[in-house]
Amino acid sequence: MTNERKIRIGITQGDTNGIGYEVILKTFSDPAMLELCTPVIYGSSKIMSYHRKAVGVQAFQTNNVKSVDYLKENLPNVVEVCSDEVKVELGKADKQAGKAAFQALEAAITDLKKGKIDAIVTAPISKENIQSAEFNFPGHTEYLEASVGEGSKALMVLFSEKIRVALVTIHLPIAEVPKAITKDLIKEKLRIFNDSLKRDFNIQGPRIAVLALNPHAGENGLLGKEESEIIAPAIQEAYEEKILCFGPYAADGFFGNEKYRHFDGVLAMYHDQGLAPFKTLSMGEGVNFTAGLPIVRTSPDHGTGYDIAGQGIAQPDSMRQAIYAAIDIVRNRQRFDQAVANPLRKHYFDHSKDNVVLDLTKDE
């Protein structure tokens, strides 16, 4: 990204039978959004028009193009990516809609890798319907780690103004969680979370709470030994690496007593342990962020909304917050990287001599 243009936010259409287009349309019905970024919507102008009429959103001008090379900064841009005629059947789970969602995602990722856009915001997909030979992943997070991670590991972070929650395991059956929880994995996620809180959220010296796996944090081994044998040792070793992490905390009391207010982030052991309280606190305004990768990707914290698709009642707040967050994270990374790019040289002052400075970074 250069300083000569506004931040370009790529927005994937998501499942074409869900509420993705509705929240996108409602978001960019506000022309003030164009002052913050150049939106690049990967999808189909025809499908967008269908959704607009179905939900009663007033028409507004878009720049419909075949390539990201022909964008206009003062308009929402629609990059036509659907290779086949897609039939929209609102509220229906359909493989065709999943294929269209993948085509949009693939096109956005391609342009992101080339530096033609600066971040992506993904509208919701159906994890079942998008499955194919090209997309054999439980969700966006795992796909992005494989396609653009360059060896880096991804971390799912859900955040709002109230709380930030990261997950050790993501889309994993609950029966498989205990054996997946290892000391090394927890330490890996703590490092990624700590770095992200600093670089992406501009938090100095972040404090991270780590949740227990078992009820009552294992009750001294009576209800499980993962806390004493895996989680607590991981916390101690990470703390020795100067990561300010604390716990393990029993999840029910931690959220019930609002202890999360005293921390910059919370690391949960599995999906529902972290996301159930998060969505109770922040549903409709939360953002899903994929931390740990060289690219910036955010998403609304809701799903495809098949049950309300086409009814005109989907709220755009989470989509709007996801776009705001993508812009903020791009800027925070720029500032952080500039700040650490040229550190001051280390100097040693020899007080036995007058005004002598030894530069220890050079060979004398």
Side-chain angles (χ1 to χ4, degrees):
M1 193 186 73
T2 70
N3 294 325
E4 297 176 355
R5 60 171 171 80
K6 288 187 293 185
I7 291 175
R8 292 177 175 178
I9 302 296
I11 303 161
T12 62
Q13 66 183 351
D15 191 290
T16 52
N17 291 339
I19 62 172
Y21 266 117
E22 181 177 348
V23 295
I24 292 170
L25 285 161
K26 288 180 176 178
T27 295
F28 292 106
S29 292
D30 180 2
M33 293 296 294
L34 298 175
E35 299 175 10
L36 303 176
C37 67
T38 300
V40 186
I41 302 163
Y42 290 84
S44 162
S45 58
K46 183 181 292 187
I47 297 175
M48 175 182 277
S49 179
Y50 181 96
H51 278 266
R52 183 189 64 76
K53 293 174 182 177
V55 300
V57 174
Q58 186 174 357
F60 55 85
Q61 187 178 359
T62 59
N63 178 41
N64 305 328
V65 293
K66 293 290 185 182
S67 165
V68 74
D69 295 327
Y70 304 101
L71 302 181
K72 293 183 179 179
E73 286 197 351
N74 60 338
L75 289 175
N77 298 272
V78 179
V79 179
E80 309 279 1
V81 298
C82 293
S83 57
D84 302 319
E85 188 72 20
V86 179
K87 181 181 179 181
V88 178
E89 297 181 85
L90 292 169
K92 180 181 178 181
D94 180 76
K95 282 290 185 182
Q96 189 181 42
K99 181 180 179 182
F102 176 70
Q103 288 174 339
L105 179 61
E106 188 177 42
I109 289 296
T110 298
D111 286 342
L112 189 62
K113 286 180 176 178
K114 294 177 180 179
K116 295 186 176 183
I117 56 177
D118 303 305
I120 59 169
V121 176
T122 57
I125 60 171
S126 164
K127 293 175 177 59
E128 178 184 359
N129 294 325
I130 199 173
Q131 296 299 314
S132 66
E134 294 83 12
F135 191 102
N136 186 24
F137 302 92
H140 277 115
T141 305
E142 295 87 350
Y143 167 79
L144 292 169
E145 180 181 280
S147 60
V148 297
E150 300 176 2
S152 298
K153 296 295 184 179
L155 177 71
M156 180 183 284
V157 179
L158 275 289
F159 70 92
S160 67
E161 290 186 357
K162 300 182 181 76
I163 187 174
R164 302 177 192 88
V165 176
L167 305 178
V168 175
T169 62
I170 309 176
H171 301 114
L172 198 63
I174 197 72
E176 298 178 17
V177 170
K179 65 181 179 182
I181 299 294
T182 65
K183 186 173 69 172
D184 287 343
L185 182 61
I186 294 170
K187 287 167 60 180
E188 174 186 280
K189 300 303 183 182
L190 279 169
R191 293 187 192 106
I192 298 171
F193 200 14
N194 185 61
D195 290 344
S196 178
L197 290 169
K198 292 178 180 178
R199 185 180 182 222
D200 301 325
F201 294 93
N202 193 29
I203 299 171
Q204 302 302 313
R207 292 167 50 87
I208 302 171
V210 182
L211 300 184
L213 174 65
N214 297 298
H216 304 290
E219 199 72 70
N220 294 320
L222 180 66
L223 302 178
K225 297 183 178 179
E226 285 85 358
E227 284 71 25
S228 60
E229 296 180 356
I230 298 173
I231 302 174
I235 293 171
Q236 179 60 37
E237 292 182 19
Y239 193 88
E240 291 170 1
E241 295 179 15
K242 303 188 185 305
I243 297 173
L244 300 179
C245 52
F246 308 88
Y249 296 99
D252 58 346
F254 181 84
F255 289 108
N257 294 323
E258 298 186 346
K259 289 183 179 178
Y260 62 87
R261 294 180 180 272
H262 302 292
F263 296 92
D264 300 298
V266 180
L267 184 66
M269 291 297 113
Y270 58 93
H271 187 279
D272 285 13
Q273 183 189 52
L275 268 55
F278 174 84
K279 292 190 176 184
T280 300
L281 292 166
S282 305
M283 191 65 186
E285 60 186 47
V287 175
N288 183 345
F289 168 52
T290 305
L293 301 183
I295 58 97
V296 175
R297 174 260 174 170
T298 64
S299 175
D301 70 348
H302 57 72
T304 55
Y306 285 146
D307 57 327
I308 61 171
Q311 298 178 30
I313 60 176
Q315 296 300 311
D317 303 52
S318 189
M319 172 60 78
R320 190 178 295 114
Q321 290 300 325
I323 293 169
Y324 291 157
I327 295 168
D328 287 343
I329 292 169
V330 167
R331 289 174 174 163
N332 285 342
R333 285 191 177 186
Q334 288 178 329
R335 295 188 191 104
F336 182 90
D337 293 346
Q338 289 170 0
V340 302
N342 296 298
L344 292 174
R345 292 180 297 176
K346 296 179 180 179
H347 291 90
Y348 168 71
F349 290 84
D350 187 344
H351 295 288
S352 67
K353 301 178 182 179
D354 293 333
N355 300 320
V356 174
V357 177
L358 300 180
D359 185 351
L360 299 184
T361 64
K362 295 181 179 180
D363 294 329
E364 298 295 337

